[in-house]
């Protein structure tokens, strides 16, 4: 399977970096084709500026500023997101990637009076989301988990209609022990190992 790993963290030695390394190692062991997109390392600009916004609905030109990033999505059959949850949601860098790359005509067709929006990234059949949260599972639930919803509902909506998803979070990130962190990495390895299996179930949440 062709797997795009979208990694978003400004510090190379973060625990998210350990999650990334575990993901890449497991994918290699399983024989998947892998492309790593490190948004900070590549210097991705998350800001949609005025000229891009004005041309947002121009399908002939709106993809030009992010053509290379779009090609990565066209290549992928599965996408794994790795990021820290900040203020209960996605980091601005990752949110900006979604806003700038998933444009009309490429990721989806805009709704009309006759029909709703139509997904165009139908070649993507798996989405795996891995994040760390300073909050508890209860507090995250109370706040509505906007980051999880954006990816498991929003991003998934432009993928194959039968696209399966999995969500894996380590909660209480600032207070968990080293032993608990290692145990979470084992859960990461197990989740990635099941990527190509039927057991990869929709919205399977495993708290840390």
């Amino acid at each position: 399977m062709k797997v795009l790993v979208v990694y978003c963290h400004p510090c190379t030695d973060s625990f998210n970096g350990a999650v990334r390394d575990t993901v890449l190692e497991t994918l290699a062991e399983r024989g998947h084709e892998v492309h790593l997109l490190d948004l900070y390392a590549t210097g991705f600009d998350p800001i949609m500026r005025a000229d891009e916004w004005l041309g947002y609905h121009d399908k002939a030109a709106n993809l030009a500023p992010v053509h290379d990033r779009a090609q990565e999505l066209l290549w992928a059959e599965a996408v794994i997101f790795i990021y820290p949850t900040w203020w209960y949601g996605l980091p601005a860098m990752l949110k900006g990637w979604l806003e700038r790359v998933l444009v009309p005509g490429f990721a989806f067709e805009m709704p009309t009076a006759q029909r709703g929006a139509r997904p165009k990234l139908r070649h993507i059949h798996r989405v795996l989301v891995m994040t760390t949260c300073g909050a508890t599972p209860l507090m995250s639930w109370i706040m509505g988990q906007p980051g999880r919803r954006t990816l498991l509902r929003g991003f998934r909506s432009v993928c194959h209609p039968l696209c399966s998803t999995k969500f894996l979070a380590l909660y209480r990130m600032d207070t968990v022990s080293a032993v608990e962190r290692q145990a979470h990495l084992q859960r990461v390895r197990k989740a990635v190992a099941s990527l190509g299996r039927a057991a990869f179930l929709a919205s399977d949440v495993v708290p840390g």
Side-chain angles (χ1 to χ4, degrees):
M1 182 176 290
K2 298 176 180 178
V3 184
L4 174 64
V5 178
V6 181
Y7 175 71
C8 183
H9 199 289
C11 298
T12 57
D13 60 349
S14 69
F15 182 71
N16 279 265
V19 172
R20 173 204 59 209
D21 292 345
T22 301
V23 166
L24 295 177
E25 290 169 5
T26 308
L27 289 172
E29 291 168 359
R30 295 285 169 166
H32 295 290
E33 296 181 60
V34 183
H35 178 76
L36 172 65
L37 169 58
D38 186 330
L39 292 173
Y40 278 94
T42 58
F44 181 78
D45 182 358
I47 301 174
M48 179 181 289
R49 305 184 191 280
D51 55 342
E52 273 189 61
W53 171 244
L54 292 173
Y56 185 73
H57 295 282
D58 182 355
K59 292 190 292 185
N62 62 5
L63 204 59
V66 290
H67 178 268
D68 291 344
R69 300 286 78 92
Q71 294 303 306
E72 293 165 334
L73 278 172
L74 288 177
W75 170 85
E77 297 170 313
V79 181
I80 300 178
F81 294 95
I82 305 170
Y83 65 94
T85 293
W86 291 338
W87 274 99
Y88 305 101
L90 304 177
M93 177 72 83
L94 181 52
K95 184 61 163 56
W97 177 83
L98 292 170
E99 292 171 356
R100 294 191 63 210
V101 180
L102 302 183
V103 293
F106 167 67
F108 63 97
E109 290 291 350
M110 292 290 288
T112 66
Q114 290 74 37
R115 61 187 305 173
R118 288 169 289 163
K120 296 199 68 176
L121 301 182
R122 291 171 175 262
H123 53 283
I124 297 177
H125 291 262
R126 300 285 189 275
V127 175
L128 175 53
V129 176
M130 298 188 169
T131 188
T132 54
C133 306
T136 63
L138 176 60
M139 184 59 71
S140 298
W141 178 80
I142 290 173
M143 294 300 176
Q145 298 181 302
R148 176 188 174 192
R149 289 171 180 264
T150 297
L151 295 176
L152 294 194
R153 297 187 183 185
F155 180 78
R156 184 195 178 280
S157 72
V158 301
C159 299
H160 192 279
L162 299 180
C163 178
S164 57
T165 63
K166 185 182 286 287
F167 181 81
L168 191 65
L170 177 60
Y171 297 98
R172 302 179 300 275
M173 179 63 209
D174 301 310
T175 57
V176 295
S177 67
V179 171
E180 290 172 302
R181 293 187 183 197
Q182 287 303 312
H184 182 73
L185 292 178
Q186 290 306 309
R187 289 193 289 270
V188 168
R189 183 175 294 277
K190 182 179 179 180
V192 175
S194 69
L195 188 63
R197 300 175 185 169
F200 192 81
L201 301 176
S203 302
D204 184 7
V205 182
V206 184

